Amino acid sequence: MLAALRELRAADAPTRGGRTFAYVYDPGLPEVDELAAAAYREFATVNGLDPTVFPSVARLENDVVGAVAAVLGAPGAQGTFTSGGTESILLAVKTARDHARAERGITRPQLVLPSTAHAAFHKAAHYLGVEPVVVPVDPVTFKAVASDVVAAITDRTALVVASAPSYAHGVLDPVAEIAAAAAERGVLCHVDACIGGWFLPFLARAGREVEPFGLTVPGVTSLSVDLHKYGYADKGASVVLYRDAELRRHQYFAHAGWPGYPVVNPTVQGTKSGGLLAQAWAVLRRLGEDGYTELARQIARAAEELVPGLRAVAGIRVLGEPAGSLVAFTVTGPGGDPDLSLVLHVADEMRERGWYLQPQLSFGGLPPNLHLTLTPATVERVGALLADLTDSLASARALEPVVVDPGLAELAAGLDPDALTPDEVAGFLAFAGLGGEGGGGQDGGDGQGDGLPARMAPVLALLDALPPRLKERLLAEFIGSVFRV
């Protein structure tokens, strides 16, 4: 059985070794991975549903949340351990919705967020019946514009969001300005520090300048931080913090209107393994402040080599001023404008050379780009990355540009995504190269998995040209075709 599992893993992007620049966070310390696995095994069968039956769960969670509050909280701060950033964000939005209903009588709540806020906020709004109000960001700095965010606040606003940093471009929003304005209007303010929350404080401790963003900033009322990112715990491990227990209680769900056991759930999940909590607890204690500071220092050194190295490559433009560990860059054509075809070709060329750089499509006037997440494991890889990137860019310029048929784009613009039949969607997916047997066969020819072509540039270029709602419908149908029996 284990051999079969290892064989399945062979087709995956590597999670260790510093060549996958998204999704994984490698401390470059095998002993930390071993500790996390061992701690998980000790608590794998413990059910986190009821801390009165398994009191160890409460002890571990209080330790983990306490450690996070000591770094990012303020006096009186309380929080909850969750399965990841999406759950932390969903809980923060639920808390704001229920707080607005109870304290301000708001029945149709709104969520004000920059266009660069994580998609998880839109997911939470969709699930919870909250209306998202999206505010464009500065097209040069990619940061939220505080005055524009303030202007979007209404009597229905339940929550305002800022990112520390935003995932897409790695820049830090003006948290203090946004939070102060929200406080003036009596509105809650959540800081999405899922990716930076357990990195930026230690970056500051390592001597780099970091703008404050935690609960000590006046007006910040909640914050999310993922320990399975720069906390280097295994997935999923996150914490959502609130300014006090009174605010946090709006997060909880309790139900006594059935004949079974009385239910009270702090999180979306009921039953959950204590293993995830135990491994996060163990890794936090193993690394400690000094360990995290040294790892942050290593990432800073990688960024200090990478960012100037990227800027020295003709045709590459770094987007904004990276706050630390996330870097996004676009590729320009002969006229100096971002070139989607080159961006996507470079991603494919780098993948053929053994690197995964995350393609991000254009949106709302923001350019298509490639996203890199730096970890300690990438420190020794920067030189090799830049060399292969230069070669990949040269190869990309020699390839035919990816062109989307204008007629197809015009046809797509006129389609009603909700009126399409499953067969019509399947046909469109097959044409795009994402249609299972109709799009590259069961394996796509390169072992990437069902329906995935060897080069993704044509597929992503087509997606980039589609209206957002049609794009969403196709993506949902595609993922349904991947998970099939």
Side-chain angles (χ1 to χ4, degrees), residues 339-341 344-345 400-409 431 457-459 461-462 465:
D339 189 310
L340 173 68
S341 183
L344 300 180
H345 277 325
E400 288 293 321
V402 180
V403 178
V404 176
D405 183 341
L408 177 64
F431 181 86
V459 174
L462 176 59

Side-chain angles (χ1 to χ4, degrees), residues 111-406:
L111 168 67
V112 173
L113 66 165
S115 62
T116 51
H118 198 280
F121 287 100
H122 294 271
K123 184 177 185 178
H126 177 73
Y127 282 2
L128 297 168
V130 176
E131 178 188 348
V133 177
V134 179
V135 181
V137 299
D138 186 289
V140 176
T141 66
F142 303 94
K143 295 183 178 183
V145 179
S147 58
D148 291 347
V149 173
V150 173
I153 297 175
T154 71
D155 291 339
R156 292 170 53 201
T157 303
L159 185 66
V160 173
V161 173
S163 301
S166 62
Y167 179 85
H169 306 106
V171 298
L172 192 64
D173 284 338
V175 171
E177 293 178 65
I178 291 172
E184 276 187 29
R185 300 287 296 272
V187 174
L188 301 181
C189 177
H190 181 84
V191 173
D192 173 17
C194 285
I195 196 146
W198 212 244
F199 170 72
L200 293 175
F202 299 104
L203 185 65
R205 196 170 183 263
R208 272 63 172 185
E209 186 175 347
V210 176
E211 293 179 15
F213 62 89
L215 285 175
T216 57
V217 175
V220 174
T221 54
S222 60
L223 178 144
S224 49
V225 52
D226 286 359
L227 299 179
H228 61 216
K229 290 187 171 75
Y230 290 105
Y232 304 109
D234 289 339
K235 305 198 181 276
S238 180
V239 168
V240 55
L241 280 182
Y242 299 96
R243 68 185 178 196
D244 53 39
E246 179 63 18
L247 182 57
R248 183 184 61 172
R249 75 175 176 82
H250 292 286
Q251 171 189 294
Y252 292 172
F253 171 81
H255 187 74
W258 76 308
Y261 60 91
V263 171
V264 56
N265 298 143
T267 64
V268 176
Q269 298 180 93
T271 289
K272 52 191 174 185
S273 171
L276 294 171
L277 176 60
Q279 57 91 19
W281 179 91
V283 173
L284 281 174
R285 291 174 67 91
R286 168 64 178 79
L287 289 173
E289 283 195 2
D290 290 343
Y292 283 117
T293 301
E294 174 54 30
L295 292 172
R297 187 178 289 114
Q298 291 178 26
I299 294 171
R301 288 201 299 269
E304 288 160 1
E305 181 183 358
L306 175 66
V307 174
L310 289 172
R311 287 176 172 153
V313 179
I316 284 182
R317 187 167 80 224
V318 175
L319 303 181
E321 290 296 330
S325 62
L326 306 183
V327 179
F329 69 90
T330 193
V331 183
T332 59
D337 294 326
D339 189 310
L340 173 68
S341 183
L342 286 175
V343 168
L344 300 180
H345 277 325
V346 167
D348 282 340
E349 290 293 321
M350 287 295 282
R351 192 155 191 168
E352 288 188 1
R353 290 163 172 79
W355 305 91
Y356 178 75
L357 279 57
Q358 189 171 46
Q360 299 186 137
L361 303 180
S362 59
F363 173 79
L366 305 180
N369 61 84
L370 295 174
H371 170 104
L372 296 91
T373 298
L374 297 174
T375 70
T378 61
V379 173
E380 303 300 326
R381 300 282 192 179
V382 174
L385 172 76
L386 289 170
D388 278 348
L389 180 60
T390 302
D391 290 344
S392 293
L393 181 54
S395 297
R397 292 192 187 282
L399 295 172
E400 288 293 321
V402 180
V403 178
V404 176
D405 183 341

Side-chain angles (χ1 to χ4, degrees), residues 412-423:
L415 294 176
D416 179 358
D418 298 318
L420 291 176
T421 68
D423 286 344

